[in-house]
Structure formats: C-alpha cells, structure tokens
Amino acid sequence: MRSARAVVTGGAGFLGSHLCEKLLAEGMEVVCIDNLLTGSLSNIEHLFGRQGFVFLHYDVTNYLHVPGEVDFVLHFASPASPIDYLELPIQTLKVGSLGTHKALGLAKAKGARFLLASTSEVYGDPLVHPQPESYWGNVNPVGPRGVYDEAKRFAEAMTMAYHRFHGLSTRIVRIFNTYGPRMRANDGRVVPAFISQALTGQPLTVFGDGSQTRSFCYVDDLIEGIVRVLLGEVCEPVNVGNPAEMSVLQFAQAIIQLTGSASPIEYRPLPVDDPKVRQPDITLAYTRLGWRPRVPLQEGLRRTIEYFAARR
Ligand code: UDP
C-alpha cells in the first residue's frame, strides 16, 4: 500500500513548515509549495534529504499542477502578519481568493480532501466573546486589515461552495494567535516583536494602552489540532487555538519576566481596526475531535525564547 500524499501550500512558512514536518512524521509523503514571499527555505532545509519530501518553488495563485496521486491538499499560503498584509495587500487578496480556487481545483482533480487554513480574523473586532464558530463576525471590509480578513472569508465561502456543489471533502480550521520557533523576528507580530526587543534590551512596543486581549497557542498544539481536523469528520469550520486569554500589557510583562530583560515598556498608537478582544471557544474541537491545547504559555514561551536567542 502506498503512503498518503499531501500537498501543503505555504509549506515554507511558520505554520506550513511545522505541518510538513508533522505529516512526514505521520508517514505521509509531502509536496511543499511556496513562492518564498514571506516563507523561507531555512524553515524547511532540514527536510530536504527526507524521503517523501519534495519542494516546489511556485506561486499558487497560478494554475497548479502536481503530478501523481494526491490525498490531501492543505492551503496555508498567505502573508499572515498585520505588517505583511499591509505591505502586500494585493498578494494577500490574491492568494486567499485565486490561490484558494487553484488549490481547490487541484483537490477536485485529484479527488483529494482539502483543508483551508482560515483565521480568527474572520470574526474581526468581535462583539461576541469568546468566539464560537457560529458567530458571523464584525469585519471592516474596506479597512487596512480587510485584505486579509475578507480574503479568508471569501476562501471559506469558496471552500463551502466546492463542498456543496462539487461534493468535495473539505475542512476549515480557524486558527487563533499561534507562536513558536520559525516565526520571523521582524514579522511585526507581537510574540517575535516582544521577544526580540526583550533580548536586545530595546523597549517593548505596546500598541494602544495594552488592554486589548489575545489568546496564544503554542505551535505544536496547533499542528496537532489541525491534523485532528484533517483526519476527523467535521466539515464545518473548527476553531483551533488556546483559550488562555491575556492582555497585551500582561503579555509584555510575561516576556520581560521570562527573558530577565531590563527593557522598559513603550506605548505606541493602536493600529486601525485592531481587535479589542480575542479568545477561541474550542468546545467544538474538544467535543467532536477530543482536541485541546496542552503546552502551558510559560513552557511554550521558554522554547520560543530559546529559538530566538540561538539565532541572534
Ligand atoms: N502588538 C503590540 N506591539 C507590537 C506588535 C503587536 O502591542 O509590537 C499588539 C497588536 O496591536 C495586537 C496584539 O499585539 O493588539 C497582537 O498583534 P499581532 O500582530 O501579533 O496579531 P493580531 O492578533 O493583531 O493579528
């Protein structure tokens, strides 16, 4: 019997590279596709000699052809940090719309199961807290974050249309804030920003008054959740994230404490449409798939700080 074969778009990114590694460990063959716009070969170079691993340098907004049989298509390609999608607004819209269409087309042609990496950003600046999957969200379509939020909302709609109209087997994960090794130090997201600042003695840049909340999930937990969704039987969107909620200011204090840094905290203006609260309701993932996060914040941050410290 041949091994299952998975295509991972955005496979050289932060989440994509961890996912490729996990699927290989599960015994699958992996075709990793990335245009290296925000992804990096350094995230996957350790996989190059691995049996069953292939890398294609390709932009998935173009017609997508992968020779041979394919069992799973996992669409993870997209700029994914607020400063990336502010700098790359058109590419963000294209990979969420055209890229999703091409990846769905590939899955349909191969009779593969499709999994979409969606996001908590579909909930926008939420008026329901914590956010269950049944909440439709509060998104500003024309604001600077709209390019990401609306691309992902379109991608979900497209995925469900392929499911309903073509009978494609589809899965949608709504990914909440995730952190861990292989985030880019300068991607602008709060975890790499604060850790880099703390390690270099720079002030930690807290946006707004720091009272906005986020809930941070360690990458290993998240990847386990994604695999459960992929192999499980839930075809509606599933939240995957860690419900441990804290304010950004509390988070800055935690980083200062864990790094033993003498960095001060500096307040900066809050970005436009920055969500005031965010916390996943993970009842669905827990009751239907038996998944919940296990790595405590302190432990996950310790591993992440170690990674950034080693790369300095
Ligand atoms: N943030 C901050 N300082 C930074 C970067 C981000 O205070 O240097 C805040 C940001 O305004 C947001 C939260 O941290 O409220 C999380 O930001 P991130 O960019 O990581 O992701 P988001 O959850 O907003 O998509």
Side-chain angles (χ1 to χ4, degrees):
M1 231 175 69
R2 68 173 184 89
S3 326
R5 190 152 179 260
V7 170
V8 180
T9 76
F14 163 50
L15 293 183
S17 64
H18 283 280
L19 189 58
C20 288
E21 208 171 87
K22 172 78 171 173
L23 298 176
L24 287 168
E26 299 277 320
M28 293 191 198
E29 291 182 16
V30 172
V31 180
C32 165
I33 304 180
D34 206 300
N35 67 352
L36 302 178
L37 189 62
T38 58
S40 166
L41 285 180
S42 63
N43 288 337
I44 50 167
E45 61 192 2
H46 63 294
L47 301 179
F48 272 95
R50 273 302 172 88
Q51 195 170 356
F53 181 77
V54 175
F55 171 68
L56 300 178
H57 186 193
Y58 194 71
D59 179 344
V60 298
T61 60
N62 298 312
Y63 182 83
L64 195 50
H65 175 70
V66 174
E69 297 191 62
V70 175
D71 305 282
F72 301 104
V73 176
L74 300 97
H75 184 41
F76 276 70
S78 177
S81 82
I83 61 165
D84 282 345
Y85 43 79
L86 292 182
E87 276 170 21
L88 305 163
I90 313 289
Q91 289 94 328
T92 302
L93 281 159
K94 281 177 72 179
V95 76
S97 54
L98 305 178
T100 301
H101 186 213
K102 299 293 181 281
L104 280 162
L106 174 69
K108 178 168 159 268
K110 301 286 183 182
R113 177 172 289 180
F114 176 84
L115 181 141
L116 173 70
S118 186
T119 170
S120 56
E121 285 278 324
V122 301
Y123 302 122
D125 189 4
L127 305 176
V128 170
H129 191 66
Q131 295 79 54
E133 290 86 352
S134 54
Y135 178 48
W136 290 353
N138 177 39
V139 170
N140 173 6
V142 294
R145 296 175 88 104
V147 296
Y148 184 67
D149 302 7
E150 294 297 358
K152 290 290 189 182
R153 289 169 68 95
F154 174 89
E156 288 199 4
M158 189 66 140
T159 301
M160 292 311 294
Y162 265 68
H163 175 66
R164 294 194 182 109
F165 188 73
H166 290 308
L168 191 71
S169 175
T170 58
R171 302 287 180 266
I172 298 174
V173 278
R174 290 187 179 150
I175 298 169
F176 283 65
N177 293 68
T178 305
Y179 69 97
R182 300 192 202 139
M183 295 186 97
R184 271 175 23 242
N186 62 350
D187 86 355
R189 282 188 277 195
V190 71
V191 177
F194 283 0
I195 293 178
S196 304
Q197 291 161 346
L199 290 176
T200 54
Q202 306 296 310
L204 271 63
T205 51
V206 168
F207 296 166
D209 63 4
S211 62
Q212 70 274 29
T213 69
R214 293 294 185 273
S215 310
F216 298 99
C217 186
Y218 187 64
V219 63
D220 291 359
D221 280 335
L222 189 95
I223 296 295
E224 173 64 30
I226 289 168
V227 172
R228 296 273 183 109
V229 174
L230 178 71
L231 302 178
E233 294 308 317
V234 185
C235 61
E236 302 83 40
V238 181
N239 287 340
V240 183
N242 190 323
E245 183 187 20
M246 65 196 323
S247 73
V248 167
L249 184 58
Q250 284 171 329
F251 187 66
Q253 287 157 347
I255 297 287
I256 288 174
Q257 194 230 323
L258 284 168
T259 51
S261 171
S263 290
I265 285 174
E266 212 170 80
Y267 294 90
R268 299 272 175 84
L270 193 65
V272 176
D273 295 335
D274 197 283
K276 285 180 270 307
V277 290
R278 181 181 291 158
Q279 183 189 29
D281 179 334
I282 58 165
T283 309
L284 183 66
Y286 185 59
T287 54
R288 300 280 303 277
L289 301 165
W291 177 83
R292 63 188 160 86
R294 306 202 170 266
V295 181
L297 185 73
Q298 296 245 336
E299 172 57 21
L301 283 179
R302 196 188 55 70
R303 294 185 210 168
T304 311
I305 291 166
E306 215 167 77
Y307 169 83
F308 281 105
R311 287 173 68 91
R312 276 185 58 211

